[in-house]
Amino acid sequence: MQKTVYITGADRGLGFALTKKFLEAGYLTFAGRYLEEWNWLAELQTEYPENLKLVDLDLDSDSSIKKAAAEIAKNTDSLDILINNAGIFAPNVDDILGELDFEIMGKMYRVNSLGPLKVTHSVIDLLLKGEEKLLINISSEAGSIENCPRKKEYGYSMSKSALNMQSKIIRNHLQEKGLKVFALHPGYLKTYMLGDKNEEADIEAVESAAEIFRRFVEERKDYQKIYYDYQGNQLSW
């Protein structure tokens, strides 16, 4: 039976790299598409017309999340893997001695924290019917409280800490049903979160995607904790 995966935020960056990786491995891949003007997914679909299913997805819209889940349910009876990758970051909006843009910070929380929870909720029945039963939330080292060096970036960091807590609660609740849950820091990626590609970052998205796939999907190592980086190193809460 063909394996299935649902990846949010798949237009570019890590989400797109993960989409390609799973397609290469033969998965029926549902890719959440948000940026209509970004054509990478459309081009990839010409290469994988049978295995790549594009679903429009806006994590700041409840109706969009539900509609995407309904579309997936039309095409499969189960999901093996869900990867909550979609997220946003806004710089220079939260300095306690300067300006605090609560509107933008609120959107980061809605998209980065509540969005993944809504997506997981929308397909949890399918996920629990899958063979692999794997939930991966793409988090960040910014979500670590113990190892936080920041003096700004409240909105983004708090949203990722909340995502980590979400991951823990879901695991507490559903591990008896066989669900495996991870919150993964993908590394400092050369991606497009601020529009242009960040060439000052450490690694390309394809490298992170390859390591995540190898360590947490393919090799199936017995990781006992939840919060790791893409290389399998445990991070502190």
Side-chain angles (χ1 to χ4, degrees):
M1 186 173 179
Q2 187 177 22
K3 295 180 180 180
T4 55
V5 61
Y6 178 18
I7 303 170
T8 70
D11 300 276
R12 59 192 184 186
L14 180 64
F16 183 77
L18 285 166
T19 298
K20 287 190 67 176
K21 193 68 183 176
F22 277 94
L23 286 169
E24 291 168 358
Y27 279 72
L28 176 60
T29 303
F30 299 94
R33 177 176 57 181
Y34 177 68
L35 303 171
E36 293 183 1
E37 71 278 8
W38 204 273
N39 63 358
W40 288 5
L41 281 174
E43 293 176 355
L44 188 62
Q45 194 174 39
T46 64
E47 187 177 351
Y48 296 94
E50 298 298 325
N51 282 352
L52 178 56
K53 308 294 183 183
L54 305 184
V55 292
D56 293 329
L57 181 65
D58 178 358
L59 261 67
D60 203 17
S61 166
D62 290 0
S63 61
S64 176
I65 291 171
K66 293 176 181 177
K67 185 176 179 181
E71 185 66 24
I72 291 169
K74 290 179 183 177
N75 288 274
T76 184
D77 294 327
S78 64
L79 276 174
D80 287 291
I81 302 171
L82 169 61
I83 301 181
N84 281 311
N85 166 74
I88 58 173
F89 171 75
N92 305 319
V93 299
D94 43 9
D95 180 349
I96 194 68
L97 298 179
E99 296 295 325
L100 291 173
D101 191 326
F102 289 106
E103 182 176 351
I104 295 178
M105 291 166 65
K107 184 169 184 177
M108 279 192 279
Y109 182 78
R110 293 195 307 273
V111 172
N112 297 349
S113 306
L114 296 181
L117 184 59
K118 292 175 181 179
V119 170
T120 301
H121 180 248
S122 74
V123 295
I124 191 63
D125 290 341
L126 295 177
L127 193 59
L128 291 176
K129 292 176 183 177
E131 289 187 11
E132 297 193 25
K133 295 183 177 64
L134 175 60
L135 169 60
I136 294 177
N137 288 327
I138 298 300
S139 184
S140 169
E141 49 78 29
S144 173
I145 296 174
E146 181 176 346
N147 291 331
C148 176
R150 288 168 172 75
K151 297 180 180 178
K152 298 181 182 180
E153 299 182 358
Y154 293 93
Y156 185 74
S157 300
M158 291 165 64
S159 74
K160 291 300 185 179
S161 293
L163 181 63
N164 290 348
M165 176 61 79
Q166 172 189 149
S167 303
K168 175 63 173 174
I169 292 173
I170 292 174
R171 181 177 178 180
N172 288 348
H173 187 191
L174 297 177
Q175 61 182 340
E176 290 184 356
K177 295 183 180 294
L179 187 67
K180 298 177 287 295
V181 183
F182 296 109
L184 302 183
H185 167 51
Y188 184 28
L189 301 181
K190 296 181 179 182
T191 59
Y192 299 81
M193 285 194 76
L194 297 178
D196 295 327
K197 188 175 181 180
N198 180 11
E199 295 290 356
E200 296 181 359
D202 297 332
I203 62 171
E204 296 284 354
V206 291
E207 180 183 345
S208 176
E211 287 296 293
I212 290 172
F213 185 87
R214 180 172 70 87
R215 295 175 183 276
F216 295 92
V217 177
E218 193 172 44
E219 292 184 351
R220 299 171 176 270
K221 288 186 177 180
D222 190 21
Y223 292 105
Q224 295 297 315
K225 303 298 182 179
I226 294 175
Y227 192 24
Y228 296 92
D229 69 12
Y230 71 104
Q231 295 176 315
N233 301 305
Q234 185 182 348
L235 301 180
S236 300
W237 292 113

